[in-house]
Amino acid sequence: MAEHPCPKWLDNAIFYEIYPQSFQDSNGDGIGDFAGILSRLDYVAGLGCNALWLNPCFASPFGDAGYDVADYFQAAPRYGTNQDLKRLFEEAHRRGMHVLLDLVPGHTSVEHSWFKQSMRAEPNEYTDRYVWTDSVWKSPEGYGSLRGISARDGSCAVNFFSCQPALNYGYYQPDPAESWQQPTDAPGPQATIRAMIEVMRFWLRMGCDGFRVDMAGSLVKQDPESLGTMGVWRQVRAFLDEEFPEAAIISEWGEPEKSLACGFHMDFLLHFGSSRYNDLFRCENPFFAGRGDASAFAARYLESRAAAAGRGLVCIPSGNHDMERLARRVHGERLKLAFAFLLTMPGAPFVYYGDEIGMRYLEGLPSVEGGYDRTGSRSPMQWDSSPGAGFSAAPKERLYIPQDEAPGRPTAEAQLQDEHSLLNEVKRLTALRQRHTALQSWGEIEFVHAPKNACPLAYLRRGGGETLLVILNPSDEEAVCPLPQAPKELLYSIGNPPKLRPGEAAVPPVSCAVFAL
Ligand code: NOJ
């Protein structure tokens, strides 16, 4: 029995999220691919990240950047073959890295063969694979629907965009007057769960190490307390424990009190939900931009940790493909403080590709593949000073998404050479985290100072026999931090180190310090 209810490798995992379209193009077609990712594994490892999350890379018409899967068992040809993906797993493992794929269990593309079969008038194996009403004139209450596109008489619920019909996991509280609302233990919903488990088994056997799970909290319909959806995940977790105990599942859910209770190993804090994540990075006055408030975040964070009761982890991403880039509101040296926070918090941190060099959010880009205002966070990685920034040899007009054209656009190459760069700070911070168990996933946390609308934010991390104190002051003013005890040693600092006085520290503006107590 493991010490913690999670695969051991999550203890010190630091993830790097790769949006495959935009990371590295190896064949000059203007879009990223598996071979490109493979060629950059050493860069990711050099950053200190030892795990990857790849956004969906399966066959798809890409109406929602691949979150509309047409075949769960087939890599998207534009990225390469299943064999290429297998090789990527192997090469990552050779470097001591783990790889998560993106599982989209709630919906498919309208192009999926399951959906095509399900649209037929004659009953067949897939008739109940999706949520259909019994008449084209009736829509499923509370959901958008697809109507008038099938020989079958009925409307099909959609989960997100109109091209994403909802898979049928049943209704938790079916209305007895609507016999098309199937209970969760009906054959249709149970077959959907088995099909999804088959998808997971296929890729786990191929060598992936687990899944980031898309919209994990919304599978069962009419399920106000999420009890039905939680039942689905308990079944999935039982399968994993039995067959792949080292695999990790990480939920896009944002309610750790639910997700961790039903089997997820880790849940994301997200830009939606009640986590107060936005207070730190993405609101009018984010804490890390220097004038915001971290107190509500700290209180909420502790509440959800308490509710999670040690069953799993909560992870905080620098950003992702759905939210504006970190560098949209947090600038300059303060970006280093944001990373100091991310890399000293419990749970395995996630670095969104390009955030480590402060890639900008590109305003006003035309939507690409269902990106809409998310497109500005999905532009191609900036590797070097060549015209395509080392991302692609394709002419500019053929790039998947236009690149940042600003003359001083940040690049990995330039930042690797500058010891004061954000990239090198991130490298030092990942190394610091790896040297101290207290800073890793399971180290305890206690906020010692999280005042309302003031700085600094300070917390203790405990683990591996040591206690560390992290102090962050993103504001323009010197700030005073009460000290629970006299620090023994300054382990790390950004900006000027604090001046220690009896019982308190004077913390310079825009600075961070990590002390051993
Ligand atoms: C969440 C994903 O992160 C997002 O990119 C996608 O559009 C929706 N789920 C629908 O799958």
Side-chain angles (χ1 to χ4, degrees):
M1 180 74 185
E3 190 190 344
H4 299 297
C6 283
K8 185 89 186 113
W9 63 269
L10 284 184
D11 287 6
N12 70 342
I14 303 177
F15 283 87
Y16 191 82
E17 178 190 342
I18 293 180
Y19 185 73
Q21 290 89 322
S22 295
F23 196 55
Q24 179 66 62
D25 171 18
S26 73
N27 59 1
D29 63 359
I31 190 156
D33 46 48
F34 296 140
I37 297 173
L38 206 142
S39 72
R40 296 294 186 181
L41 283 182
D42 288 331
Y43 167 84
V44 179
L47 199 57
C49 294
N50 54 15
L52 301 177
W53 156 27
L54 305 183
N55 290 113
C57 48
F58 313 106
S60 167
F62 291 96
D64 182 15
Y67 284 94
D68 46 334
V69 177
D71 184 346
Y72 287 101
F73 299 101
Q74 196 60 55
R78 70 190 197 178
Y79 301 135
T81 62
N82 283 12
Q83 279 312 307
D84 295 331
L85 186 50
K86 183 166 190 253
R87 169 122 194 273
L88 181 57
F89 300 149
E90 288 162 0
E91 286 296 315
H93 293 161
R94 240 169 35 81
R95 290 164 175 82
M97 303 166 100
H98 290 83
V99 185
L100 297 185
L101 294 179
D102 208 318
L103 181 74
V104 189
H107 48 266
T108 66
S109 152
V110 283
E111 303 282 312
H112 199 293
S113 63
W114 297 346
F115 189 65
K116 291 186 177 155
Q117 297 283 330
S118 196
M119 286 199 296
R120 296 168 65 145
E122 317 77 53
N124 61 67
E125 191 186 339
Y126 301 99
T127 298
D128 293 332
R129 183 55 55 89
Y130 296 82
V131 179
W132 287 92
T133 67
D134 53 6
S135 154
V136 72
W137 311 119
K138 190 188 293 169
S139 295
E141 208 184 309
Y143 298 91
S145 67
L146 290 163
R147 312 161 59 216
I149 60 161
S150 60
R152 172 183 187 154
D153 184 11
S155 310
C156 183
V158 297
N159 231 25
F160 197 69
F161 291 152
S162 308
C163 60
Q164 291 159 315
L167 285 162
N168 179 23
Y169 292 87
Y171 275 67
Y172 191 66
Q173 296 166 336
D175 179 344
E178 305 288 356
S179 57
W180 55 271
Q181 295 185 2
Q182 303 176 358
T184 54
D185 58 358
Q190 287 299 314
T192 307
I193 299 178
R194 282 198 302 278
M196 217 33 79
I197 287 180
E198 213 32 65
V199 170
M200 297 174 87
R201 185 181 280 124
F202 178 85
W203 290 108
L204 289 165
R205 281 193 180 147
M206 183 90 78
C208 89
D209 301 288
F211 303 91
R212 172 271 189 187
V213 178
D214 186 68
M215 294 174 67
S218 59
L219 300 185
V220 172
K221 306 304 179 209
Q222 225 136 290
D223 186 19
E225 310 292 324
S226 317
L227 297 173
T229 295
M230 290 169 76
V232 173
W233 292 114
R234 284 200 182 92
Q235 266 178 265
V236 171
R237 177 63 185 267
F239 144 73
L240 289 176
D241 286 349
E242 173 79 23
E243 294 184 33
F244 300 96
E246 283 307 300
I249 45 173
I250 303 180
S251 44
E252 185 200 33
W253 193 322
E255 290 181 285
E257 49 277 36
K258 293 180 181 171
S259 54
L260 303 183
C262 67
F264 280 97
H265 299 105
M266 190 151 73
D267 191 23
F268 277 102
L269 290 196
L270 291 162
H271 54 305
F272 55 82
S274 58
S275 70
R276 310 303 299 246
Y277 171 85
N278 283 350
D279 295 9
L280 304 178
F281 310 113
R282 291 172 179 80
C283 61
E284 213 177 303
N285 278 317
F287 178 73
F288 282 103
R291 272 174 303 154
D293 172 51
S295 66
F297 160 80
R300 180 72 194 114
Y301 185 79
L302 292 182
E303 267 169 39
S304 42
R305 261 178 79 83
R311 281 184 286 233
L313 298 162
V314 171
C315 52
I316 314 183
S318 70
N320 71 24
H321 60 290
D322 290 334
M323 44 177 132
E324 63 183 44
R325 283 223 180 242
L326 178 62
R328 190 178 195 192
R329 290 169 207 257
V330 181
H331 306 292
E333 293 297 288
R334 291 191 171 91
L335 279 170
K336 296 180 179 173
L337 304 190
F339 272 101
F341 166 81
L342 290 161
L343 292 165
T344 57
M345 283 294 281
F350 277 69
V351 178
Y352 181 51
Y353 84 95
D355 278 354
E356 75 278 17
I357 56 170
M359 268 176 64
R360 296 189 312 139
Y361 173 82
L362 304 189
E363 310 281 343
L365 288 185
S367 177
V368 174
E369 294 188 341
Y372 301 97
D373 58 350
R374 306 175 293 182
T375 308
S377 298
R378 300 175 176 185
S379 62
M381 177 67 183
Q382 293 149 208
W383 295 103
D384 60 34
S385 56
S386 63
F391 163 68
S392 173
K396 210 156 99 169
E397 21 348 306
R398 285 195 54 210
L399 296 187
Y400 168 73
I401 289 175
Q403 243 167 350
D404 187 352
E405 292 295 336
R409 65 183 175 190
T411 66
E413 183 187 60
Q415 293 205 13
L416 280 167
Q417 284 156 20
D418 171 6
E419 85 169 279
H420 302 295
S421 67
L422 177 61
L423 174 52
N424 276 316
E425 198 71 57
V426 172
K427 279 177 130 183
R428 286 190 288 270
L429 284 161
T430 56
L432 175 76
R433 186 175 176 95
Q434 294 304 4
R435 283 198 298 276
H436 297 278
T437 311
L439 295 179
Q440 296 170 9
S441 298
W442 288 100
E444 279 305 313
I445 182 163
E446 182 187 331
F447 288 98
V448 293
H449 196 58
K452 194 157 176 55
N453 289 319
C455 279
L457 174 68
Y459 44 92
L460 297 174
R461 300 291 321 275
R462 288 197 187 89
E466 50 176 11
T467 301
L468 307 188
L469 170 67
V470 181
I471 309 178
L472 292 153
N473 179 14
S475 79
D476 279 329
E477 320 268 312
E478 182 178 273
V480 173
C481 183
L483 293 175
Q485 66 186 80
K488 284 204 195 90
E489 189 192 349
L490 178 66
L491 297 174
Y492 196 91
S493 62
I494 298 172
N496 292 324
K499 286 183 224 91
L500 299 181
R501 303 193 287 238
E504 62 179 34
V507 190
V510 196
S511 73
C512 159
V514 181
F515 287 104
L517 294 189

